[in-house]
């Protein structure tokens, strides 16, 4: 079931079809996903979709929502994973986007942006880079990857917020099956306005400004879903003596 017309790519046979045949029924039993603002995701062309991240399971739920909105869900993936037998083949066939730490961020973003535009593909990029460290699961400080990619490729940057994944799998918690059909809400926002920052993929001030706008947009969407206001200051792990990755 889709909530919008499928893109030409989504309609063509691909490795995503058997994956969807397996994943969609399972997710459909475990959750009930409501998508708001599906019309804001472009039907064709490249895009960068940027969601909040508060559960290990939410990439699967965001992927399902993206598929239901008529687009193919692709993620950034560490380049080393592409060298793993079988897994690497699947990632390449699925068109996942490799990230190499050895390459400069600006040059890598420019190459990735050009490839996305040339193939009219989208990519899902978590701007927080890891599960939020905020005690109440609000979006924390963002990183530059999503904005850098959007600016370098002149690609629409679409903010997304979702809520309910923590009932399926709490942050660093155990997977919960019951009750079935847990409600998940996914809200898609208007593209973040980066028009004044275009042409400045190497300008750190521009990247920082764009990242702030993106995190503000995601937070506003989440405030609406939760029916409450986020803290006035965004959580910064470094100020709290927390590691950037791994369990708290």
């Amino acid at each position: 079931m889709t909530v919008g017309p499928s893109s030409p790519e989504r309609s063509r046979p691909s490795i995503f079809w058997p994956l969807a045949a397996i994943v969609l029924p399972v997710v459909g039993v475990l959750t009930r996903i409501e998508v708001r603002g599906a019309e804001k995701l472009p039907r064709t062309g490249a895009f960068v979709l940027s969601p909040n991240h508060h559960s290990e399971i939410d990439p699967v739920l965001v992927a399902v929502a993206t598929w239901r909105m008529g687009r193919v869900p692709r993620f950034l993936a560490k380049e080393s994973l592409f060298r793993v037998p079988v897994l690497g083949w699947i990632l390449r066939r699925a068109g996942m986007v490799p990230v190499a730490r050895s390459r400069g961020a600006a040059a890598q973003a420019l190459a990735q942006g050009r490839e996305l535009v040339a193939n009219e593909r989208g990519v899902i990029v978590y701007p927080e880079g890891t599960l939020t460290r905020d005690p109440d699961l609000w979006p924390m400080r963002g990183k530059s990857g999503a904005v850098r990619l959007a600016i370098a490729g002149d690609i629409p940057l679409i903010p997304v917020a979702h809520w309910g994944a923590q009932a399926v799998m709490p942050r660093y918690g155990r997977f919960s099956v019951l009750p079935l059909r847990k409600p998940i809400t996914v809200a898609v926002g208007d593209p973040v306005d980066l028009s004044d920052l275009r042409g400045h993929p190497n300008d750190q001030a521009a990247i920082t400004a764009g990242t702030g706008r993106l995190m503000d947009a995601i937070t506003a969407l989440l405030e609406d879903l939760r029916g409450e206001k986020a803290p006035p200051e965004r959580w910064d792990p470094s100020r709290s003596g927390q590691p950037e990755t791994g369990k708290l």
Side-chain angles (χ1 to χ4, degrees), residues 164-193:
Q166 72 281 2
V168 181
M169 180 178 284
R171 180 180 56 186
Y172 303 121
R174 293 184 177 181
F175 185 81
S176 174
V177 173
L178 299 176
L180 299 177
R181 302 279 290 166
K182 297 180 183 67
I184 310 291
T185 310
V186 179
V188 183
D190 294 314
V192 177
D193 185 7

Side-chain angles (χ1 to χ4, degrees), residues 7-248:
S7 65
E9 181 192 26
R10 160 79 161 71
S11 302
R12 290 193 297 267
S14 70
I15 194 172
F16 286 97
W17 282 22
L19 291 175
I22 297 170
V23 174
L24 293 180
V26 174
V27 172
V29 169
L30 296 175
T31 69
R32 185 177 70 256
I33 299 178
E34 175 193 357
V35 180
R36 302 177 184 174
E39 72 282 355
K40 297 177 181 179
L41 183 65
R43 296 299 112 193
T44 59
F47 64 87
V48 177
L49 195 68
S50 289
N52 60 313
H53 196 12
H54 63 258
S55 168
E56 291 95 330
I57 199 68
D58 65 51
V60 175
L61 304 178
V62 170
V64 168
T66 303
W67 182 262
R68 286 185 55 197
M69 287 187 283
R71 297 304 303 262
V72 172
R74 291 187 172 89
F75 293 84
L76 292 182
K78 292 187 296 184
E79 188 181 47
S80 60
L81 296 177
F82 288 76
R83 296 192 291 270
V84 177
V86 182
L87 176 60
W89 180 86
I90 294 174
L91 292 175
R92 286 189 292 272
R93 288 296 300 270
M96 299 297 173
V97 181
V99 178
R101 292 184 178 181
S102 59
R103 295 185 60 185
Q108 187 167 211
L110 182 59
Q112 292 168 341
R114 287 173 174 170
E115 184 172 354
L116 290 173
V117 171
N119 292 291
E120 298 188 350
R121 292 175 173 174
V123 66
I124 299 168
V125 182
Y126 282 93
E128 294 166 274
T130 187
L131 296 177
T132 181
R133 265 50 182 155
D134 185 278
D136 295 316
L137 304 182
W138 291 104
M140 66 174 180
R141 178 196 63 191
K143 296 185 177 180
S144 64
V147 169
R148 195 181 294 275
L149 180 57
I151 291 177
D154 196 15
I155 301 170
L157 178 61
I158 315 295
V160 176
H162 58 84
W163 190 241
Q166 72 281 2
V168 181
M169 180 178 284
R171 180 180 56 186
Y172 303 121
R174 293 184 177 181
F175 185 81
S176 174
V177 173
L178 299 176
L180 299 177
R181 302 279 290 166
K182 297 180 183 67
I184 310 291
T185 310
V186 179
V188 183
D190 294 314
V192 177
D193 185 7
L194 302 175
S195 57
D196 59 321
L197 308 179
R198 302 294 184 187
H200 301 283
N202 299 318
D203 186 336
Q204 188 56 49
I207 298 298
T208 300
T211 301
R213 296 176 195 176
L214 172 61
M215 298 312 299
D216 286 345
I218 294 172
T219 301
L221 289 169
L222 188 57
E223 287 179 331
D224 185 59
L225 292 182
R226 294 176 59 166
E228 53 186 311
K229 295 293 291 182
E233 186 173 354
R234 193 165 291 123
W235 190 267
D236 186 339
S238 62
R239 295 179 183 175
S240 303
Q242 295 175 318
E244 290 286 338
T245 59
K247 288 189 176 183
L248 296 173

